[in-house]
Each structure stands twice: as structure tokens, then as C-alpha cells.
């Protein structure tokens, strides 16, 4: 399941316009915030995109910004 989520986020990151935002969350309690953020980083590398975490809320999980 984690590989599929990474693949889905990679495709979403590719669709984001430069300077745009990808807002995402996880409803899976077994996936901690740290693991979710690492998955987003892997997806960004796979999509050949740079990003940064804009903000982390207790719920939802971290937001990711291109740039």
C-alpha cells in the first residue's frame, strides 16, 4: 500500500504547476507523520521535483509545496 501511495503522490506532484501547492493527508492511523513525510520526499525525488513542508497540522498530515 505504501508503494501505491508513493506512486500516486509522484503523479500528483508532476501535475502541480511550478510554484503550486499539493495539499495531502493520510487517513491511515498506522502511517505516522514521519513515515508519511518520508513517502512524500521519495515521491518528490521520483517526480524530479523539489518541495518543502509548508505546515503540519495535527490532522491532516503535512502539506507539501513545490519549490
Amino acid at each position: 500500500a505504501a508503494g501505491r501511495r508513493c506512486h500516486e503522490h509522484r503523479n500528483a506532484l508532476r501535475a502541480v504547476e511550478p510554484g503550486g501547492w499539493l495539499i495531502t493527508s493520510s487517513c491511515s492511523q498506522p502511517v505516522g507523520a514521519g513515515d508519511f513525510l518520508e513517502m512524500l520526499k521519495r515521491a518528490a525525488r521520483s517526480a524530479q521535483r523539489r518541495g518543502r513542508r509548508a505546515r503540519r497540522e495535527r490532522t491532516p498530515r503535512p502539506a507539501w509545496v513545490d519549490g
Side-chain angles (χ1 to χ4, degrees):
R4 188 180 85 240
R5 283 192 291 269
C6 186
H7 177 78
E8 291 168 352
H9 281 90
R10 181 199 65 204
N11 291 340
L13 285 163
R14 286 179 177 166
V16 173
E17 297 278 336
W21 290 68
L22 173 67
I23 299 174
T24 187
S25 65
S26 173
C27 62
S28 178
Q29 289 184 354
V31 178
D35 291 336
F36 191 71
L37 187 56
E38 286 304 313
M39 181 274 305
L40 289 174
K41 289 177 182 179
R42 284 193 312 274
R45 283 191 301 270
S46 180
Q48 298 180 342
R49 303 295 293 268
R50 294 182 325 141
R52 63 182 170 85
R53 186 173 77 185
R55 184 171 73 197
R56 178 176 177 246
E57 299 290 334
R58 185 172 179 98
T59 301
R61 301 284 191 217
W64 191 260
V65 182
D66 176 35

